[in-house]
Amino acid sequence: MEKRDELYRGKAKTVYLTDAEDKLILHFRNDTSAFDGQKIEQLERKGEVNNKFNHFIMSKLESAGIKTQVEERLSDTESLVKKLDMIPVECVVRNVAAGSLVKRLGVEEAKELTPPVFEFFLKNDALHDPMVNDYHIISFGWATEEQISKMKELTFKVNSVLKTLFAEAGMTLVDYKLEFGIDKQGDIVLGDEFTPDGCRLWDTETKKKMDKDRFRQGLGNVVETYIEVAKRLGVEL
Ligand code: TMP
Ligand code: ASP
């Protein structure tokens, strides 16, 4: 597979075209961003750790019958993926109250949410990813009602697979964000990434934060902690 021109540079990943029309290369950079790009730092090895972590998680999800974008890991920091027509919303599931939910509703942090809460956010840094609902998504043509149902179904399916996977390694999956796209067959496929950059993970016993909140809150040992998460799951680094 030959790497061609850069297609898109995000805050933490760069997407390249390839010589195959329907395949892209994702390059996981060391850049770490928070607060819509207001805080950006390069953290050594983060690209490598996230690329390997993402490949591991996406493979687990594929085995559980969830279609993902990932085709193969090409190098320490690059993966080959299917080209998708991305839907510009983020799907968030929360098992435990934290982050923006606590600020927005004034609820107690660490409260277990039964049933888990599902939220949509519009992907738009300039607007700070505002929360949107099904009606906004349909009215503005970002996705159809059928695609919305499928995204919710798949996001909850991911929850059942990953909650167990992390629980068995002594971690609580507090919340996470997924992004979906449409493949050339018209199917909804899980895209983007699943790494500690896009979820909250707490050590179940000690409640230690093991995700990007370490960076957001300046707690230090960011990549070291991602490596600990990876090792607990058996990801080969
Ligand atoms: P929030 O509490 O800030 O709304 O975030 C909920 C979850 O979604 C958390 O695990 C972080 C993740 N997330 C992202 O990865 N990127 C984003 O742009 C947002 C808004 C959330
Ligand atoms: N991913 C967003 C950013 O890079 C928001 C965040 O994670 O805090 O700025």
Side-chain angles (χ1 to χ4, degrees):
M1 191 63 54
E2 214 177 287
K3 192 159 138 184
R4 296 269 167 91
D5 290 348
E6 181 180 310
L7 177 66
Y8 174 78
R9 186 179 166 91
K11 293 191 292 291
K13 297 190 293 301
T14 308
V15 184
Y16 294 91
L17 296 168
T18 69
D19 53 348
E21 195 228 324
D22 57 344
K23 302 276 190 290
L24 300 172
I25 290 174
L26 289 189
H27 174 224
F28 288 74
R29 307 195 314 272
N30 287 339
D31 294 290
T32 312
S33 152
F35 314 119
D36 303 323
Q38 282 182 59
K39 175 173 175 170
I40 297 181
E41 280 174 32
Q42 276 75 45
L43 301 179
E44 213 179 314
R45 274 197 85 192
K46 204 209 51 153
E48 178 206 337
V49 173
N50 274 5
N51 183 39
K52 292 177 179 175
F53 193 95
N54 183 58
H55 185 263
F56 177 90
I57 295 285
M58 293 293 178
S59 304
K60 291 280 178 198
L61 295 175
E62 283 279 353
S63 307
I66 297 161
K67 221 171 159 183
T68 81
Q69 181 179 31
V70 176
E71 296 263 302
E72 67 177 295
R73 187 163 71 76
L74 297 174
S75 68
D76 278 357
T77 57
E78 290 179 324
S79 288
L80 185 69
V81 300
K82 288 185 212 61
K83 188 172 186 173
L84 302 179
D85 186 8
M86 292 305 289
I87 297 172
V89 297
E90 302 185 335
C91 299
V92 169
V93 160
R94 303 177 187 273
N95 295 307
V96 176
S100 71
L101 180 80
V102 168
K103 285 202 190 106
R104 198 182 332 120
L105 302 183
V107 294
E108 179 199 342
E109 191 176 32
K111 182 184 159 45
E112 204 176 308
L113 303 170
T114 319
V117 169
F118 183 99
E119 294 170 341
F120 279 122
F121 294 91
L122 177 65
K123 258 183 91 70
N124 186 322
D125 275 351
L127 298 177
H128 307 293
D129 292 352
M131 190 159 77
V132 292
N133 67 28
D134 304 31
Y135 289 87
H136 300 114
I137 296 173
I138 296 166
S139 287
F140 292 108
W142 297 320
T144 64
E145 194 167 1
E146 199 189 352
Q147 289 167 340
I148 288 175
S149 303
K150 191 72 190 169
M151 286 193 284
K152 287 182 184 168
E153 179 195 320
L154 290 170
T155 304
F156 279 112
K157 195 164 177 190
V158 167
N159 201 33
S160 63
V161 177
L162 296 188
K163 244 170 51 168
T164 310
L165 187 82
F166 286 111
E168 285 170 356
M171 291 171 279
T172 304
L173 179 58
V174 171
D175 56 29
Y176 58 92
K177 181 266 300 178
L178 302 180
E179 294 178 31
F180 293 91
I182 304 161
D183 68 6
K184 61 179 180 194
Q185 283 89 40
D187 290 336
I188 297 279
V189 175
L190 178 59
D192 192 49
E193 66 178 76
F194 190 103
T195 67
D197 271 2
C199 67
R200 288 193 174 90
L201 291 167
W202 294 349
D203 181 276
T204 307
E205 289 285 306
T206 66
K207 309 291 177 209
K208 178 172 107 165
K209 293 180 164 74
M210 305 188 76
D211 53 69
K212 203 167 79 175
D213 272 347
R214 300 201 69 81
F215 177 72
R216 293 191 188 97
Q217 299 172 10
L219 301 175
N221 295 328
V222 179
V223 180
E224 292 81 349
T225 311
Y226 287 18
I227 290 171
E228 189 188 335
V229 174
K231 283 193 176 150
R232 285 199 201 180
L233 293 176
V235 182
E236 273 183 54
L237 293 178

